[in-house]
Amino acid sequence: MKIGTQSKEIDKVFGPHQALLILKNAGFEAVDFSLENEERLKKDDSELLVFFEDIKKYADEIGIEIGQTHAPFYNRENQMNRFDEIVKLQINAIKATAFLGCKYIVIHPLQSEGRIYDLELEETKKLNMKYYSALIPALLEYDVYCAIENMFARDPEKRIWCPTTCTTAEEMVDFIDSLGERFVACLDIGHINLIHQKEYPHVSFEHMINTLDYRLKVLHVHDNNGKDDQHLPPFAGNIDWSAVVKALKKIGYAGNLSIEADTFITYIKPEQFEKAENVIYAYAKRLYDMF
Amino acid sequence: MKIGAQSAVIDRVYGPEKALSIVRSAGFETIDFSLESETRLYLHSTALKKYFENIKKHAEDIGMELAQTHAPFYNPDKHMENNDEIIETQKRAIAATGHMGSKYIVIHPMKTKERMYNDDYERTKELNLKYYTALIPTLKEYGVYLAVENMFTWDSTLKCICPTSCTTAEEMVEYIDELGEMFVACLDTGHVNLIHQEGFEHVNFPHMIRTLGNRIKILHVHDNDGIKDLHLPPFAGNIEWVEVMDELKKIGYLGHISLEADNYMTYVKPEQFENAEKYMYSTAKRLYDMIIE
């Protein structure tokens, strides 16, 4: 198990190479590499290969593992209007993941227009099967696994976070098992902490981790106050991390401990990125030591 | 018990009133007000009163308590060379504390250059008793209590942090009890975590908290890696916080959870101070919940 974090915010300021170096200097041994920059994904195949292999080469040189990548994600309207274009971009994100020497890409499930709680459950499944199935040839060709992440949505009437596509482990398992061997789970710890509806008691750390079990290959580790998706470092919110670690240990989780708390980095002066990443690393280390 | 933070770094950028407003908006209800600006302390006595009373008024308007202040502090050489001037500065800091309606001021004990481990113990004690005694009339005049803080120093031969004046609870108790009713203890959690030398095993949380007992009126809450004085928010280091909070609960600690983690704030863009303080508040709230449960 390695301790990892996102490259996203530092990459936006200094580019990918400097981002990796800063993270490595701060103590991290793995990175969740952001593929959210569409312009990079719009390159043709040969340019894509050169661009991302160069990053891989640099990561190898400085001794940091690209443990997982994060594909671009879109709001409901965008994803429906640009469906074919988005599939194409995700295929390129899969290629980029492979060129980076990375095994896992996180691609959010789609949420249909009306998908809150269990409304439009079947329609959403159909839509997602179409979406993810279109990616299978690329996943097979480039030997990459697609990690489906647990999500949340906004209840516009009650103005609270509520369940949506893949909020429950049961729906994630349904998707993953239906789609086959190229699909695994990414558990976003912070997202679980945002669901409090009494009909969803199974959206709990213990139940979700137990249910996902061997399918769980990557994590998005972050904390919040149970109300806002704050993406804070672990222990800066109210998550019971002992319960999380206990459940992960029980299923023999063998992946990385990858932090997704880059909101924290958006507050920081660029010249202090390394020191701030040191702070995130220190929180992650406390969690790592609990394993 | 309230949750507090420092004003120091935001004050340097935006001044004291905006600093209080930002910290208040982030959720904090109390402040550890920095008196590090000597320029402010050397205002004429009438202006000094007015300046700090205005801050007090602003704090009241926004519902922020000015619970504790931090006096300026100096390295051993400067302190020995300018002792009389420093006493005058600290008297002014006490007056400012009184004008702000705050009850506690933290004034670091002096350490001579030689005061490492137990070397120069008696001389340090004599110097400190003289230093602190000179402040008693002012403390009484303004109804302010002086909090003596647990300290550390640098062993330049072994190149590590080591004990000095008031590193141990025993030395703090000796000072506080000899100096009398205007003296209390400020426990700095981060400093406790830096001492690992043989012969100083009693510099640990349970022993320090139990020994200081109800003399502990205020805290400097911060975390570190056990090696460097990083002044990080709680949980960003390796302090065993469950143990610290349990011990504070056992002695019936009634003061505030006041963060002294402004080192982190020096990394933050000024336009993000409030968001960064919100994150700090979140970490403090986790501690608060441990002690309140």
Side-chain angles (χ1 to χ4, degrees):
Chain A
M1 178 182 282
K2 289 179 179 167
I3 301 177
T5 195
Q6 292 174 274
S7 58
K8 185 173 153 181
E9 294 302 328
I10 307 181
D11 186 338
K12 280 184 197 163
V13 178
F14 290 128
H17 296 79
Q18 184 70 6
L20 295 181
L21 184 62
I22 287 172
L23 297 180
K24 177 66 182 166
N25 288 342
F28 293 99
E29 296 178 289
V31 73
D32 177 349
F33 191 90
S34 169
L35 295 172
E36 288 160 42
N37 180 337
E38 280 192 9
E39 290 313 306
R40 290 180 188 166
L41 297 179
K42 284 177 182 164
K43 293 175 189 293
D44 66 35
D45 275 9
S46 57
E47 285 174 339
L48 202 70
L49 178 72
V50 170
F51 184 82
F52 287 102
E53 272 196 349
D54 183 56
I55 296 169
K56 178 195 187 297
K57 191 171 166 281
Y58 185 70
D60 289 343
E61 272 169 26
I62 63 169
I64 196 161
E65 174 190 312
I66 298 179
Q68 60 203 70
T69 64
H70 203 305
F73 52 96
Y74 305 91
N75 62 33
R76 289 172 188 226
E77 204 184 331
N78 229 330
Q79 73 197 10
M80 302 309 282
N81 296 342
R82 297 174 59 200
F83 188 86
D84 291 340
E85 186 197 344
I86 288 170
V87 167
K88 212 173 152 193
L89 282 169
Q90 302 298 28
I91 289 171
N92 275 5
I94 291 165
K95 291 178 193 171
T97 302
F99 300 153
L100 288 167
C102 177
K103 209 166 158 187
Y104 300 109
I105 181 169
V106 175
I107 304 182
H108 288 180
L110 302 178
Q111 305 173 7
S112 65
E113 199 63 42
R115 179 63 199 272
I116 52 170
Y117 304 97
D118 288 333
L119 299 171
E120 295 188 13
L121 184 82
E122 288 307 321
E123 291 91 327
T124 325
K125 184 174 174 187
K126 208 171 145 194
L127 179 67
N128 274 294
M129 291 301 117
K130 186 181 161 198
Y131 179 50
Y132 284 128
S133 294
L135 307 177
I136 293 177
L139 291 169
L140 287 168
E141 185 182 348
Y142 291 92
D143 193 17
V144 169
Y145 293 85
C146 172
I148 298 179
E149 178 177 351
N150 54 311
M151 304 303 293
F152 63 94
R154 190 80 178 159
D155 178 334
E157 280 179 24
K158 293 184 180 164
R159 293 179 182 192
I160 51 169
W161 298 124
C162 72
T164 183
T165 319
C166 289
T167 293
T168 67
E170 283 72 11
E171 192 170 356
M172 293 172 78
V173 166
D174 185 24
F175 281 24
I176 292 165
D177 292 356
S178 298
L179 287 160
E181 57 106 19
R182 284 286 135 185
F183 291 81
V184 298
C186 165
L187 190 69
D188 187 300
I189 308 292
H191 293 178
I192 300 174
N193 201 42
L194 296 171
I195 303 300
H196 309 289
Q197 284 80 3
K198 67 175 190 304
E199 299 83 0
Y200 292 83
H202 48 306
V203 183
S204 71
F205 302 114
E206 194 185 7
H207 179 80
M208 291 205 53
I209 293 168
N210 277 343
T211 307
L212 293 170
D213 198 11
Y214 61 89
R215 299 170 189 87
L216 187 53
K217 299 295 182 193
V218 294
L219 295 175
H220 284 170
V221 175
H222 57 103
D223 211 332
N224 59 53
N225 59 5
K227 291 178 216 154
D228 312 300
D229 189 32
Q230 297 166 303
H231 283 261
L232 298 173
F235 305 102
N238 62 16
I239 288 176
D240 179 356
W241 290 102
S242 316
V244 175
V245 170
K246 194 174 159 198
L248 287 171
K249 273 169 92 171
K250 199 173 153 201
I251 64 158
Y253 175 73
N256 290 338
L257 201 54
S258 194
I259 307 293
E260 200 189 50
D262 254 17
T263 302
F264 183 87
I265 294 298
T266 63
Y267 307 156
I268 305 299
K269 299 172 195 161
E271 67 273 22
Q272 299 291 354
F273 278 159
E274 189 174 317
K275 283 183 178 163
E277 290 289 355
N278 266 323
V279 176
I280 298 187
Y281 181 81
Y283 282 113
K285 182 69 167 54
R286 180 181 282 263
L287 195 59
Y288 177 88
D289 289 344
M290 288 165 74
F291 275 89
Chain B
M1 178 176 286
K2 292 177 181 169
I3 301 175
Q6 289 176 275
S7 60
V9 171
I10 308 182
D11 187 339
R12 276 177 222 155
V13 178
Y14 290 127
E17 290 174 355
K18 190 155 182 198
L20 295 184
S21 296
I22 289 173
V23 174
R24 178 73 187 108
S25 298
F28 292 97
E29 295 180 302
T30 183
I31 198 97
D32 178 348
F33 192 90
S34 168
L35 294 172
E36 66 184 9
S37 162
E38 289 193 3
T39 314
R40 290 179 192 165
L41 295 179
Y42 275 90
L43 289 169
H44 180 274
S45 61
T46 318
L48 184 88
K49 186 168 186 283
K50 196 174 168 205
Y51 183 83
F52 287 101
E53 279 184 350
N54 279 343
I55 295 171
K56 177 185 186 227
K57 189 174 172 301
H58 177 73
E60 283 169 356
D61 288 347
I62 62 168
M64 178 71 113
E65 180 189 333
L66 291 158
Q68 62 199 67
T69 65
H70 203 306
F73 50 94
Y74 307 91
N75 65 39
D77 282 341
K78 189 161 183 202
H79 206 136
M80 300 304 280
E81 282 164 23
N82 305 295
N83 191 47
D84 292 344
E85 190 192 322
I86 287 170
I87 287 173
E88 176 56 26
T89 309
Q90 303 299 29
K91 284 179 181 172
R92 287 167 176 268
I94 294 164
T97 303
H99 297 323
M100 287 196 291
S102 178
K103 208 167 157 186
Y104 300 109
I105 182 169
V106 175
I107 302 185
H108 289 177
M110 294 172 65
K111 46 192 191 195
T112 59
K113 250 193 337 200
E114 296 75 22
R115 180 61 202 272
M116 292 196 293
Y117 307 93
N118 286 328
D119 293 348
D120 217 16
Y121 187 97
E122 286 306 324
R123 185 164 159 254
T124 323
K125 183 177 172 184
E126 197 183 311
L127 283 168
N128 270 304
L129 292 188
K130 198 175 156 199
Y131 175 49
Y132 283 136
T133 301
L135 305 175
I136 293 176
T138 318
L139 291 170
K140 287 188 169 162
E141 184 184 345
Y142 290 96
V144 169
Y145 293 85
L146 190 156
V148 178
E149 179 179 349
N150 55 309
M151 302 304 293
F152 67 88
T153 195
W154 182 249
D155 180 333
S156 51
T157 311
L158 296 176
K159 296 196 172 162
C160 64
I161 281 174
C162 74
T164 184
S165 314
C166 289
T167 293
T168 68
E170 284 73 9
E171 191 169 357
M172 292 173 79
V173 165
E174 209 180 303
Y175 283 23
I176 292 164
D177 291 357
E178 284 195 33
L179 287 159
E181 47 138 15
M182 300 313 283
F183 290 80
V184 298
C186 167
L187 185 74
D188 187 299
T189 58
H191 295 178
V192 177
N193 200 43
L194 295 171
I195 303 299
H196 311 287
Q197 282 81 3
E198 204 183 324
F200 289 87
E201 292 83 1
H202 51 305
V203 182
N204 65 58
F205 292 108
H207 181 80
M208 298 267 307
I209 293 170
R210 285 176 209 174
T211 307
L212 291 168
N214 64 7
R215 295 173 190 85
I216 304 180
K217 300 296 181 197
I218 59 177
L219 298 174
H220 283 169
V221 175
H222 57 104
D223 212 333
N224 59 51
D225 59 1
I227 303 164
K228 298 184 282 287
D229 189 32
L230 299 167
H231 282 263
L232 296 176
F235 304 101
N238 60 17
I239 288 178
E240 184 51 72
W241 290 104
V242 176
E243 180 183 57
V244 177
M245 293 299 121
D246 264 7
E247 290 298 333
L248 287 170
K249 227 166 149 174
K250 278 186 202 156
I251 64 157
Y253 174 70
L254 293 170
H256 301 319
I257 301 280
S258 195
L259 298 186
E260 202 191 45
D262 254 18
N263 201 22
Y264 162 72
M265 292 303 291
T266 64
Y267 309 157
V268 173
K269 299 176 211 166
E271 66 273 22
Q272 294 291 347
F273 278 157
E274 188 175 321
N275 279 329
E277 288 288 356
K278 277 184 185 160
Y279 139 72
M280 297 254 271
Y281 180 82
S282 248
T283 63
K285 180 70 168 53
R286 183 179 276 263
L287 281 188
Y288 176 87
D289 290 344
M290 284 179 178
I291 204 164
I292 287 301
E293 268 168 15

